[in-house]
Amino acid sequence: MGYFHEDIDSPHALLEIAADRNAELVSQNIFGYAPELGDTFQTCWNGTGTYVLPSSAVQMDVVSTSASDTMAILISGLDANYESLSEIVVVNGTSAVTTTSSFFRINSAVILAGSNVGDISISNGGTVYAFIGAEIGLTQACLFTTPAEHSLYIFRISLTSGTVNPNKYISYRNRVDSSTGRTLRVANSTFQSDMQTFDRQIPFRVAPKSDFQFEAKSSSGTNELSIFVEALLMKDKYA
């Protein structure tokens, strides 16, 4: 009998998962960083303005603000059928390179060599769907769309804020949009500074074909917020 999953009989199940021992169980580390969080709810990401999800699968233009950036980037997301999709694109500095694939969602993007000198944007028609800040190397957007026949199980959520104003605080909530059009905004909470962590005894489940994201706002002016989510993406056994 398996300890955690019928195909994993190790007593260190989470270590086995992190080592990619089973394709049906994939660890997900989701980072979000909002350097200028305003006083209206927005997705916690390091791009500019409100994050907008694509309305259809589209090819993406990849471009840097620096001519020095010529490294490969791995873009991971989903196609129009919510099936996993990935593509490696070689950046051509300030000249845009268009993906061969059409992405319905982008869950992450990461450089595969070196360090990016400039900001790298992945966009379509002027709308940015993924952003890699200069010298960061990967996207920092607290959002994830679950593939078909897969669920996301969230085990831990940590938030940090650097505000020192006793009258300023951050409100946040998680948002889940289903493929059928239902939107849930739950777990509304507030905090002021330092770190707030939630270790769930029973993980929070995000169903297949759902857009999950953290939204937050400052009580006044602008603020900084970072979010780290530890989760497990698991194929639904009887889907």
Side-chain angles (χ1 to χ4, degrees):
M1 178 179 291
Y3 177 81
F4 172 77
H5 185 275
E6 63 183 16
D7 296 324
I8 295 181
D9 56 7
S10 167
H12 304 289
L14 296 181
L15 178 61
E16 294 290 312
I17 293 167
D20 294 329
R21 299 292 178 85
N22 189 298
E24 294 185 354
L25 298 157
V26 181
S27 60
Q28 297 291 331
N29 295 306
I30 305 171
F31 305 96
Y33 175 59
E36 296 183 0
L37 189 68
D39 58 4
T40 58
F41 276 110
Q42 65 182 71
T43 303
C44 184
W45 76 309
N46 60 335
T48 302
T50 302
Y51 187 86
V52 179
L53 293 166
S55 58
S56 62
V58 293
Q59 290 175 286
M60 298 289 175
D61 295 325
V62 183
V63 66
S64 174
T65 57
S66 172
S68 299
D69 289 333
T70 57
M71 71 283 290
I73 291 180
L74 173 63
I75 304 172
S76 301
L78 305 176
D79 65 16
N81 297 314
Y82 288 89
E83 297 294 338
S84 295
L85 174 67
S86 63
E87 182 176 336
I88 294 176
V89 176
V90 178
V91 184
N92 188 24
T94 58
S95 299
V97 178
T98 303
T99 63
T100 301
S101 305
S102 293
F103 287 85
F104 182 54
R105 294 288 186 268
I106 294 179
N107 282 331
S108 66
V110 59
I111 64 172
L112 298 180
S115 176
N116 58 303
V117 176
D119 295 329
I120 299 174
S121 299
I122 302 173
S123 64
N124 176 274
T127 300
V128 176
Y129 296 111
F131 180 83
I132 301 175
E135 301 182 348
I136 301 300
L138 76 165
T139 49
Q140 295 186 92
C142 195
L143 54 92
F144 189 89
T145 300
T146 50
E149 300 181 0
H150 289 73
S151 294
L152 184 72
Y153 295 88
I154 297 172
F155 287 86
R156 183 169 71 88
I157 303 163
S158 294
L159 306 94
T160 59
S161 170
T163 182
V164 294
N165 186 334
N167 297 315
K168 181 186 263 190
Y169 58 90
I170 289 176
S171 299
Y172 60 92
R173 64 193 183 190
N174 71 53
R175 171 176 173 171
V176 179
D177 295 272
S178 71
S179 59
T180 59
R182 184 180 71 165
T183 298
L184 299 177
R185 297 179 177 90
V186 300
N188 288 46
S189 300
T190 61
F191 81 118
Q192 180 196 355
S193 61
D194 298 326
M195 176 181 286
Q196 193 168 60
T197 297
F198 299 93
D199 287 306
R200 298 185 60 93
Q201 298 302 304
I202 300 176
F204 178 81
R205 176 178 178 261
V206 182
K209 298 183 180 182
S210 297
D211 301 310
F212 166 82
Q213 57 187 297
F214 258 98
E215 298 179 324
K217 68 176 182 178
S218 174
S219 60
S220 63
T222 59
N223 210 329
E224 291 188 6
L225 175 68
S226 63
I227 301 178
F228 174 60
V229 176
E230 274 187 323
L232 173 66
L233 184 67
M234 183 162 61
K235 182 175 176 58
D236 291 343
K237 195 67 176 177
Y238 302 105

